[in-house]
Short mmCIF file of all heavy atoms in Angstrom, two decimals:
data_model
loop_
_atom_site.label_atom_id
_atom_site.label_comp_id
_atom_site.label_asym_id
_atom_site.label_seq_id
_atom_site.Cartn_x
_atom_site.Cartn_y
_atom_site.Cartn_z
N LEU A 1208 -4.13 3.83 -27.97
CA LEU A 1208 -4.45 4.81 -28.99
C LEU A 1208 -3.41 5.94 -28.78
O LEU A 1208 -3.23 6.38 -27.64
CB LEU A 1208 -5.84 5.41 -28.68
CG LEU A 1208 -7.02 4.37 -28.68
CD1 LEU A 1208 -8.27 4.98 -28.12
CD2 LEU A 1208 -7.18 3.78 -30.05
N ILE A 1209 -2.84 6.47 -29.80
CA ILE A 1209 -1.84 7.45 -29.69
C ILE A 1209 -2.52 8.75 -30.07
O ILE A 1209 -3.00 8.95 -31.24
CB ILE A 1209 -0.59 7.23 -30.58
CG1 ILE A 1209 -0.03 5.89 -30.11
CG2 ILE A 1209 0.26 8.34 -30.54
CD1 ILE A 1209 1.11 5.44 -31.05
N GLU A 1210 -2.71 9.71 -29.16
CA GLU A 1210 -3.32 11.02 -29.39
C GLU A 1210 -2.42 11.96 -30.02
O GLU A 1210 -2.79 12.62 -31.00
CB GLU A 1210 -3.91 11.52 -28.11
CG GLU A 1210 -5.07 10.79 -27.57
CD GLU A 1210 -5.86 11.52 -26.57
OE1 GLU A 1210 -5.36 12.53 -25.97
OE2 GLU A 1210 -6.95 11.11 -26.28
N ASP A 1211 -1.22 12.09 -29.56
CA ASP A 1211 -0.27 12.94 -30.17
C ASP A 1211 1.20 12.35 -29.81
O ASP A 1211 1.33 11.19 -29.30
CB ASP A 1211 -0.33 14.37 -29.79
CG ASP A 1211 -0.35 14.66 -28.29
OD1 ASP A 1211 0.52 14.00 -27.60
OD2 ASP A 1211 -1.13 15.46 -27.80
N ASP A 1212 2.25 13.05 -30.15
CA ASP A 1212 3.58 12.53 -29.95
C ASP A 1212 3.89 12.14 -28.51
O ASP A 1212 4.72 11.21 -28.30
CB ASP A 1212 4.63 13.51 -30.40
CG ASP A 1212 4.61 13.70 -31.88
OD1 ASP A 1212 4.12 12.84 -32.59
OD2 ASP A 1212 5.04 14.72 -32.38
N ASP A 1213 3.35 12.73 -27.54
CA ASP A 1213 3.68 12.41 -26.20
C ASP A 1213 2.54 11.96 -25.33
O ASP A 1213 2.73 11.75 -24.02
CB ASP A 1213 4.41 13.57 -25.51
CG ASP A 1213 3.54 14.86 -25.37
OD1 ASP A 1213 2.49 14.84 -26.09
OD2 ASP A 1213 3.89 15.74 -24.76
N THR A 1214 1.36 11.67 -25.91
CA THR A 1214 0.21 11.19 -25.15
C THR A 1214 -0.22 9.84 -25.61
O THR A 1214 -0.48 9.71 -26.86
CB THR A 1214 -0.94 12.24 -25.15
OG1 THR A 1214 -0.48 13.43 -24.69
CG2 THR A 1214 -2.13 11.70 -24.32
N VAL A 1215 -0.35 8.84 -24.81
CA VAL A 1215 -0.89 7.55 -25.17
C VAL A 1215 -2.13 7.24 -24.30
O VAL A 1215 -2.03 7.46 -23.12
CB VAL A 1215 0.20 6.42 -24.95
CG1 VAL A 1215 -0.38 5.05 -25.28
CG2 VAL A 1215 1.38 6.73 -25.81
N VAL A 1216 -3.14 6.78 -24.90
CA VAL A 1216 -4.36 6.44 -24.11
C VAL A 1216 -4.48 4.86 -24.24
O VAL A 1216 -4.49 4.29 -25.33
CB VAL A 1216 -5.72 7.00 -24.71
CG1 VAL A 1216 -6.84 6.54 -23.98
CG2 VAL A 1216 -5.57 8.57 -24.66
N LEU A 1217 -4.55 4.24 -23.08
CA LEU A 1217 -4.78 2.81 -22.99
C LEU A 1217 -6.16 2.52 -22.62
O LEU A 1217 -6.65 3.00 -21.56
CB LEU A 1217 -3.83 2.16 -22.04
CG LEU A 1217 -2.35 2.22 -22.24
CD1 LEU A 1217 -1.59 1.60 -21.10
CD2 LEU A 1217 -1.98 1.64 -23.59
N GLU A 1218 -6.94 1.79 -23.46
CA GLU A 1218 -8.32 1.45 -23.20
C GLU A 1218 -8.38 0.07 -22.71
O GLU A 1218 -7.89 -0.85 -23.28
CB GLU A 1218 -9.21 1.62 -24.49
CG GLU A 1218 -9.50 3.03 -24.93
CD GLU A 1218 -10.45 3.08 -25.98
OE1 GLU A 1218 -10.74 2.07 -26.70
OE2 GLU A 1218 -10.92 4.14 -26.23
N LEU A 1219 -8.93 -0.08 -21.48
CA LEU A 1219 -8.97 -1.41 -20.80
C LEU A 1219 -10.42 -1.92 -20.88
O LEU A 1219 -11.35 -1.23 -20.34
CB LEU A 1219 -8.49 -1.33 -19.32
CG LEU A 1219 -8.55 -2.53 -18.47
CD1 LEU A 1219 -7.71 -3.66 -19.09
CD2 LEU A 1219 -8.16 -2.18 -17.14
N ARG A 1220 -10.62 -3.07 -21.43
CA ARG A 1220 -11.92 -3.69 -21.53
C ARG A 1220 -11.83 -4.95 -20.69
O ARG A 1220 -10.96 -5.79 -20.94
CB ARG A 1220 -12.39 -3.99 -22.92
CG ARG A 1220 -12.79 -2.75 -23.73
CD ARG A 1220 -13.29 -3.11 -25.04
NE ARG A 1220 -13.82 -2.00 -25.77
CZ ARG A 1220 -13.06 -1.01 -26.40
NH1 ARG A 1220 -11.73 -1.08 -26.39
NH2 ARG A 1220 -13.67 -0.07 -27.01
N VAL A 1221 -12.85 -5.21 -19.79
CA VAL A 1221 -12.98 -6.41 -19.08
C VAL A 1221 -14.35 -6.94 -19.08
O VAL A 1221 -15.25 -6.19 -19.54
CB VAL A 1221 -12.40 -6.24 -17.63
CG1 VAL A 1221 -10.97 -5.95 -17.51
CG2 VAL A 1221 -13.29 -5.30 -16.89
N ALA A 1222 -14.58 -8.17 -18.69
CA ALA A 1222 -15.96 -8.67 -18.59
C ALA A 1222 -16.74 -7.79 -17.62
O ALA A 1222 -16.16 -7.24 -16.68
CB ALA A 1222 -15.96 -10.10 -18.11
N GLU A 1223 -18.04 -7.61 -17.90
CA GLU A 1223 -18.86 -6.80 -17.08
C GLU A 1223 -18.85 -7.13 -15.56
O GLU A 1223 -18.76 -6.33 -14.78
CB GLU A 1223 -20.31 -6.85 -17.62
CG GLU A 1223 -21.28 -5.88 -16.90
CD GLU A 1223 -22.63 -5.86 -17.54
OE1 GLU A 1223 -22.81 -6.27 -18.72
OE2 GLU A 1223 -23.59 -5.49 -16.76
N GLU A 1224 -18.80 -8.44 -15.32
CA GLU A 1224 -18.82 -8.88 -13.90
C GLU A 1224 -17.47 -8.60 -13.23
O GLU A 1224 -17.36 -8.67 -12.02
CB GLU A 1224 -19.17 -10.34 -13.72
CG GLU A 1224 -18.33 -11.25 -14.47
CD GLU A 1224 -18.68 -11.60 -15.88
OE1 GLU A 1224 -19.62 -10.95 -16.44
OE2 GLU A 1224 -18.05 -12.39 -16.60
N ASP A 1225 -16.39 -8.31 -13.93
CA ASP A 1225 -15.08 -8.04 -13.42
C ASP A 1225 -14.82 -6.54 -13.28
O ASP A 1225 -13.82 -6.12 -12.70
CB ASP A 1225 -13.95 -8.63 -14.40
CG ASP A 1225 -13.93 -10.11 -14.24
OD1 ASP A 1225 -14.29 -10.65 -13.15
OD2 ASP A 1225 -13.52 -10.83 -15.16
N ARG A 1226 -15.65 -5.71 -13.96
CA ARG A 1226 -15.40 -4.33 -14.01
C ARG A 1226 -15.28 -3.69 -12.55
O ARG A 1226 -14.45 -2.85 -12.32
CB ARG A 1226 -16.50 -3.54 -14.77
CG ARG A 1226 -16.09 -2.17 -15.17
CD ARG A 1226 -17.08 -1.55 -16.17
NE ARG A 1226 -17.26 -2.48 -17.33
CZ ARG A 1226 -18.39 -2.70 -17.88
NH1 ARG A 1226 -19.57 -2.26 -17.42
NH2 ARG A 1226 -18.43 -3.57 -18.95
N GLY A 1227 -16.09 -4.16 -11.67
CA GLY A 1227 -16.07 -3.60 -10.28
C GLY A 1227 -14.77 -3.98 -9.65
O GLY A 1227 -14.26 -3.16 -8.80
N LYS A 1228 -14.28 -5.13 -9.81
CA LYS A 1228 -12.90 -5.53 -9.24
C LYS A 1228 -11.77 -4.69 -9.81
O LYS A 1228 -10.88 -4.36 -9.05
CB LYS A 1228 -12.66 -6.99 -9.60
CG LYS A 1228 -13.61 -7.93 -8.92
CD LYS A 1228 -13.24 -9.36 -9.43
CE LYS A 1228 -14.21 -10.34 -8.86
NZ LYS A 1228 -13.96 -11.67 -9.28
N VAL A 1229 -11.85 -4.39 -11.03
CA VAL A 1229 -10.75 -3.57 -11.68
C VAL A 1229 -10.87 -2.08 -11.17
O VAL A 1229 -9.80 -1.48 -10.91
CB VAL A 1229 -10.91 -3.57 -13.22
CG1 VAL A 1229 -9.90 -2.65 -13.90
CG2 VAL A 1229 -10.60 -5.03 -13.72
N ILE A 1230 -12.04 -1.61 -11.01
CA ILE A 1230 -12.17 -0.25 -10.47
C ILE A 1230 -11.83 -0.16 -8.99
O ILE A 1230 -11.20 0.73 -8.56
CB ILE A 1230 -13.60 0.30 -10.81
CG1 ILE A 1230 -13.75 0.44 -12.30
CG2 ILE A 1230 -13.86 1.63 -10.10
CD1 ILE A 1230 -15.17 0.75 -12.77
N GLY A 1231 -12.37 -1.18 -8.20
CA GLY A 1231 -12.14 -1.20 -6.76
C GLY A 1231 -13.00 -0.34 -5.98
O GLY A 1231 -13.74 0.50 -6.52
N ARG A 1232 -12.94 -0.46 -4.68
CA ARG A 1232 -13.73 0.36 -3.83
C ARG A 1232 -13.28 1.77 -3.93
O ARG A 1232 -12.12 2.15 -3.72
CB ARG A 1232 -13.59 -0.09 -2.30
CG ARG A 1232 -14.28 -1.40 -2.11
CD ARG A 1232 -14.42 -1.57 -0.64
NE ARG A 1232 -15.25 -2.78 -0.47
CZ ARG A 1232 -14.98 -3.72 0.47
NH1 ARG A 1232 -13.96 -3.63 1.32
NH2 ARG A 1232 -15.78 -4.76 0.64
N GLN A 1233 -14.19 2.62 -4.11
CA GLN A 1233 -13.95 4.10 -4.34
C GLN A 1233 -12.92 4.33 -5.34
O GLN A 1233 -12.16 5.44 -5.33
CB GLN A 1233 -13.62 4.74 -2.95
CG GLN A 1233 -14.72 4.64 -1.94
CD GLN A 1233 -14.39 5.25 -0.64
OE1 GLN A 1233 -13.18 5.64 -0.35
NE2 GLN A 1233 -15.35 5.41 0.19
N GLY A 1234 -12.76 3.48 -6.29
CA GLY A 1234 -11.81 3.68 -7.43
C GLY A 1234 -10.36 3.53 -7.11
O GLY A 1234 -9.52 3.88 -7.86
N ARG A 1235 -10.10 2.89 -5.94
CA ARG A 1235 -8.73 2.71 -5.49
C ARG A 1235 -7.77 1.95 -6.40
O ARG A 1235 -6.61 2.33 -6.66
CB ARG A 1235 -8.65 2.25 -4.02
CG ARG A 1235 -9.20 3.18 -3.04
CD ARG A 1235 -9.07 2.73 -1.67
NE ARG A 1235 -9.72 3.60 -0.73
CZ ARG A 1235 -10.18 3.35 0.44
NH1 ARG A 1235 -10.15 2.04 0.83
NH2 ARG A 1235 -10.76 4.24 1.25
N THR A 1236 -8.39 0.84 -6.88
CA THR A 1236 -7.59 -0.14 -7.74
C THR A 1236 -7.24 0.65 -9.12
O THR A 1236 -6.15 0.61 -9.51
CB THR A 1236 -8.27 -1.40 -7.94
OG1 THR A 1236 -8.54 -1.96 -6.71
CG2 THR A 1236 -7.40 -2.34 -8.68
N ALA A 1237 -8.25 1.30 -9.66
CA ALA A 1237 -8.14 2.04 -10.92
C ALA A 1237 -7.07 3.12 -10.70
O ALA A 1237 -6.31 3.36 -11.54
CB ALA A 1237 -9.39 2.54 -11.42
N LYS A 1238 -7.21 3.78 -9.58
CA LYS A 1238 -6.26 4.96 -9.39
C LYS A 1238 -4.86 4.37 -9.22
O LYS A 1238 -3.94 5.08 -9.75
CB LYS A 1238 -6.70 5.68 -8.03
CG LYS A 1238 -5.90 6.86 -7.74
CD LYS A 1238 -6.39 7.61 -6.51
CE LYS A 1238 -5.60 8.81 -6.21
NZ LYS A 1238 -6.08 9.50 -5.05
N ALA A 1239 -4.70 3.28 -8.60
CA ALA A 1239 -3.25 2.66 -8.39
C ALA A 1239 -2.71 2.28 -9.81
O ALA A 1239 -1.55 2.54 -10.08
CB ALA A 1239 -3.34 1.47 -7.41
N LEU A 1240 -3.64 1.66 -10.61
CA LEU A 1240 -3.19 1.25 -11.92
C LEU A 1240 -2.77 2.47 -12.77
O LEU A 1240 -1.81 2.45 -13.41
CB LEU A 1240 -4.30 0.53 -12.60
CG LEU A 1240 -4.09 0.02 -13.97
CD1 LEU A 1240 -2.94 -1.00 -14.12
CD2 LEU A 1240 -5.38 -0.63 -14.55
N ARG A 1241 -3.49 3.54 -12.71
CA ARG A 1241 -3.23 4.74 -13.41
C ARG A 1241 -1.94 5.28 -12.90
O ARG A 1241 -1.11 5.82 -13.66
CB ARG A 1241 -4.37 5.75 -13.27
CG ARG A 1241 -5.55 5.31 -14.04
CD ARG A 1241 -6.68 6.42 -13.95
NE ARG A 1241 -7.80 5.96 -14.79
CZ ARG A 1241 -9.05 5.75 -14.39
NH1 ARG A 1241 -9.39 5.89 -13.15
NH2 ARG A 1241 -9.90 5.35 -15.30
N GLY A 1242 -1.66 5.26 -11.63
CA GLY A 1242 -0.45 5.75 -11.06
C GLY A 1242 0.79 5.07 -11.52
O GLY A 1242 1.80 5.61 -11.84
N ILE A 1243 0.66 3.68 -11.57
CA ILE A 1243 1.75 2.85 -12.07
C ILE A 1243 2.12 3.21 -13.54
O ILE A 1243 3.23 3.33 -13.86
CB ILE A 1243 1.38 1.43 -11.91
CG1 ILE A 1243 1.41 1.01 -10.44
CG2 ILE A 1243 2.44 0.51 -12.68
CD1 ILE A 1243 0.88 -0.33 -10.12
N MET A 1244 1.03 3.34 -14.33
CA MET A 1244 1.20 3.63 -15.73
C MET A 1244 1.82 5.07 -15.94
O MET A 1244 2.63 5.25 -16.83
CB MET A 1244 -0.13 3.48 -16.47
CG MET A 1244 -0.67 2.10 -16.49
SD MET A 1244 0.53 0.77 -17.03
CE MET A 1244 0.80 1.26 -18.61
N LYS A 1245 1.36 5.96 -15.14
CA LYS A 1245 1.87 7.36 -15.20
C LYS A 1245 3.41 7.38 -14.90
O LYS A 1245 4.17 8.00 -15.53
CB LYS A 1245 1.13 8.24 -14.23
CG LYS A 1245 1.54 9.67 -14.28
CD LYS A 1245 0.74 10.49 -13.34
CE LYS A 1245 1.18 11.96 -13.34
NZ LYS A 1245 0.41 12.79 -12.50
N ALA A 1246 3.70 6.57 -13.88
CA ALA A 1246 5.14 6.58 -13.54
C ALA A 1246 5.98 5.92 -14.62
O ALA A 1246 7.12 6.37 -14.94
CB ALA A 1246 5.33 5.71 -12.19
N GLY A 1247 5.48 4.85 -15.24
CA GLY A 1247 6.15 4.30 -16.40
C GLY A 1247 6.26 5.21 -17.52
O GLY A 1247 7.28 5.22 -18.22
#
């Protein structure tokens, strides 16, 4: 989703049983994924 010229929102949908794996303990996996995307 493109919000404006310089902001892009990526919506990630996974199976309900996989959501915990993608988020990770205390959100670490999600935080790492967001960091990689931010750097890119």
Side-chain angles (χ1 to χ4, degrees):
L1208 306 171
I1209 299 173
E1210 289 194 349
D1211 55 42
D1212 290 340
D1213 61 346
T1214 302
V1215 177
V1216 178
L1217 298 177
E1218 289 185 343
L1219 176 62
R1220 287 183 172 81
V1221 296
E1223 187 174 337
E1224 59 271 7
D1225 289 331
R1226 198 170 303 133
K1228 292 178 185 177
V1229 172
I1230 295 172
R1232 287 194 174 141
Q1233 298 179 349
R1235 289 181 185 155
T1236 305
K1238 185 176 179 180
L1240 178 61
R1241 289 179 175 123
I1243 291 168
M1244 297 309 296
K1245 182 178 179 180

